[in-house]
Amino acid sequence: MEPKVFSEIGKLEKVIVHRPDNGLSRISPHKAEELLFDDIIHLPLMQKEHDVFTDVLKFFAGEKNVLEIETLLEQALDYSHVVKENIIDNIVRFEELPSKAKNTMMELDSEELTDLLITGYCEKDDAYLFDAIPNFIFTRDIAVVIKDHILITKAAREARHRENLLARFILNSHPIFLESRKNKKVIDLNNVDLFPPSRRGKSVSMEGGDVMIVNEDYLFIGHSERTSNHAINLLKNYLFERDIISNVVEIEIPHERNFMHLDTIFTQINTHDWVVYKPIIYDGIGSLVKVYNKSGEIKKYPSVKDLFLEEIDPETRFIFGGKGIYPYQEREQWTDGCNLVTLKPGVALTYDRNLKTEEALEETGYTILHAENLLENIKKNKIKPGDIKNSIITLPSTELSRGRGGSHCMTCPIKRN
């Protein structure tokens, strides 16, 4: 399988997700902030909501094309004893565990070890070896496919570093990515020879929610609290030197938790349609835009709106989250009203709690479909994927929204038409 993603809206053909795991149910209030989670969740309901989400993905992409990262990890561990020992050595070293922990982990089968590596809990010994990684449900952040290359990202916060270790292990070991490895199309930001710290000690950090391939010529990267300017510059130079992309667009966004990644303030849902947080994307508040061309030319724009209308798509329609009205736009940006994942042009998934954003979408010609109603009709064979056009599918989100990430965050597309 060769990964290919040339846009944000091509028909979704293969995607990586992660169902909320038992580690989420073990997060205590005093640990939540450290682990980058804003609340204590009710796991059974969160899993039920996520199952609705993945059922919709399977309807459009096909069941075998919605890949569970836990399954990929287990399969990679089964691949060889040497590979298994290698990831265990890395985890023991990173988590600063005593040497006997390695023996414990080596004795586990792949299923047991996978559960331990994700949740931190060793059922065999009834012991917590390390913290859970609750943000693993946001698979968008671990890797990004840029055309036919896979970018392995590098998390900014220590709480997400084990996610990074596991993602690197999967992408560098699992047979499904063998062709990419053979063809040297895996770009690993953790390779310090290619992506070293700056001479002034600035670190390399970049998370997938800040990276979007808009079309075959433009890659957008948000300079946020999670993605450093140094990382953007290094990646930009790497891509230009290998003629992978023609333009890298750096978008400055406020370095605040509520604007954690670029995809929290705008995502594409159709050929010309983007759902956006008006103050930053349209009005340009705190969002200087720089366009770097591989020729060395640099252009600047006061806002993303100006860039689009002048250089990318003069027909762009900006649909405002919360209808662009205070206080709804702030409320609904916080609950991921601008964070949608597109299944095919004109059909996207979002949470069901952003009512003003739904109004804005309906006013621009979209039909709102509730995911559970849609799934009921699918079971009765009343509807096929091709029947659904210009529609926004809303997901139950009482618990999912507590994680501070929407449908775009919960998907890592590795193949689009």
Side-chain angles (χ1 to χ4, degrees):
M1 191 278 296
E2 189 176 9
K4 284 186 185 295
V5 176
F6 284 79
S7 76
E8 283 281 307
I9 61 168
K11 182 181 179 298
L12 189 64
E13 295 188 343
K14 202 173 287 285
V15 62
I16 299 174
V17 299
H18 179 52
R19 188 175 192 256
D21 57 74
N22 288 331
L24 282 152
S25 68
R26 301 186 183 114
I27 299 173
S28 63
H30 80 276
K31 272 282 187 181
E33 184 176 355
E34 179 185 335
L35 297 177
L36 309 179
F37 239 66
D38 286 337
D39 208 345
I40 304 303
I41 58 92
H42 177 55
L43 182 62
L45 181 54
M46 192 181 209
Q47 289 176 326
K48 183 180 178 182
E49 292 173 349
H50 195 273
D51 289 344
V52 172
F53 168 61
T54 52
D55 283 347
V56 175
L57 291 177
K58 289 171 184 176
F59 174 63
F60 283 91
E63 188 162 353
K64 67 179 181 179
N65 295 318
V66 179
L67 309 178
E68 166 58 57
I69 199 167
E70 191 168 334
T71 304
L72 295 178
L73 177 55
E74 187 179 332
Q75 290 168 343
L77 288 168
D78 274 333
Y79 196 53
S80 82
H81 186 81
V82 174
V83 163
K84 177 179 176 179
E85 187 169 11
N86 178 259
I87 186 62
I88 288 173
D89 284 338
N90 282 330
I91 294 293
V92 168
R93 187 163 49 249
F94 172 71
E95 299 289 354
E96 299 181 338
L97 300 175
S99 56
K100 65 179 182 180
K102 176 179 177 178
N103 297 330
T104 298
M105 288 191 267
M106 287 297 295
E107 291 171 1
L108 300 176
D109 64 31
S110 295
E111 183 179 354
E112 293 169 327
L113 181 57
T114 294
D115 185 69
L116 167 60
L117 293 175
I118 292 173
T119 68
Y121 176 69
C122 181
E123 187 173 356
K124 181 181 177 184
D125 293 347
D126 187 24
Y128 295 91
L129 298 192
F130 34 74
D131 287 327
I133 43 175
N135 294 279
F136 212 31
I137 62 172
F138 304 127
T139 53
R140 174 74 54 162
D141 290 329
I142 60 174
V144 181
V145 176
I146 302 172
K147 298 171 97 166
D148 58 353
H149 288 67
I150 306 173
L151 173 70
I152 305 176
T153 56
K154 187 174 183 181
R157 304 294 177 85
E158 187 175 341
R160 303 198 71 173
H161 284 186
R162 195 162 80 254
E163 293 176 56
N164 181 245
L165 283 173
L166 298 181
R168 288 162 63 194
F169 172 68
I170 291 167
L171 289 163
N172 287 315
S173 305
H174 198 286
I176 197 174
F177 301 109
L178 180 60
E179 287 303 309
S180 296
R181 296 194 295 270
K182 275 185 179 179
N183 296 325
K184 301 187 185 305
K185 290 188 176 181
V186 178
I187 307 167
D188 189 353
L189 285 178
N190 305 273
N191 183 332
V192 292
D193 292 323
L194 290 175
F195 303 100
S198 73
R199 288 184 295 173
R200 297 190 177 182
K202 291 183 179 179
S203 63
V204 172
S205 65
M206 183 177 292
E207 296 182 1
D210 277 320
V211 186
M212 295 181 188
I213 180 155
V214 175
N215 57 45
E216 62 182 271
D217 293 321
Y218 286 84
L219 181 73
F220 282 24
I221 308 179
H223 179 205
S224 67
E225 69 161 13
R226 302 290 183 88
T227 294
S228 68
N229 178 258
H230 177 56
I232 295 171
N233 284 329
L234 288 176
L235 178 61
K236 164 177 64 69
N237 293 338
Y238 182 97
L239 297 173
F240 287 165
E241 287 166 8
R242 290 157 182 81
D243 200 26
I244 296 169
I245 200 84
S246 297
N247 300 279
V248 170
V249 180
E250 178 181 348
I251 301 171
E252 187 75 29
I253 64 176
H255 294 197
E256 301 171 16
R257 179 158 175 75
N258 48 321
F259 309 120
M260 191 185 317
H261 293 129
L262 185 61
D263 68 0
T264 68
I265 56 174
F266 85 136
T267 45
Q268 189 176 14
I269 61 170
N270 210 340
T271 307
H272 304 295
D273 293 353
W274 292 72
V275 181
V276 308
Y277 180 61
K278 182 176 180 289
I280 296 176
I281 299 301
Y282 196 85
D283 300 332
I285 297 173
S287 65
L288 178 67
V289 177
K290 294 180 184 177
V291 182
Y292 300 94
N293 183 270
K294 64 183 180 182
S295 68
E297 182 186 12
I298 302 173
K299 295 180 183 178
K300 294 181 181 179
Y301 295 90
S303 71
V304 176
K305 175 199 71 176
D306 293 302
L307 163 65
F308 266 89
L309 297 182
E310 184 170 327
E311 189 168 330
I312 295 180
D313 177 17
E315 297 179 53
T316 301
R317 286 199 304 179
F318 298 96
I319 302 167
F320 299 144
K323 297 188 80 172
I325 302 169
Y326 174 85
Y328 305 107
Q329 62 181 357
E330 284 80 9
R331 285 173 54 87
E332 298 193 9
Q333 185 277 328
W334 176 258
T335 50
D336 295 294
C338 300
N339 187 281
L340 298 86
V341 65
T342 299
L343 306 176
K344 63 178 184 177
V347 178
L349 276 171
T350 189
Y351 287 157
D352 63 358
R353 60 190 304 131
N354 300 305
L355 303 182
K356 291 293 182 183
T357 306
E358 284 185 20
E359 287 180 23
L361 287 160
E362 286 180 311
E363 288 170 5
T364 47
Y366 288 91
T367 300
I368 305 299
L369 300 177
H370 297 288
E372 289 166 310
N373 294 340
L374 173 64
L375 293 173
E376 278 300 314
N377 286 325
I378 291 168
K379 286 179 185 175
K380 296 173 183 175
N381 293 317
K382 288 185 175 181
I383 197 163
K384 296 177 181 178
D387 298 333
I388 302 173
K389 298 174 183 177
N390 293 322
S391 298
I392 305 300
I393 303 165
T394 56
L395 300 163
S397 56
T398 302
E399 294 300 314
L400 280 176
S401 63
R402 293 179 188 268
R404 292 291 297 115
S407 58
H408 196 268
C409 301
M410 295 189 297
T411 52
C412 178
I414 54 175
K415 195 169 186 181
R416 285 187 181 273
N417 186 303

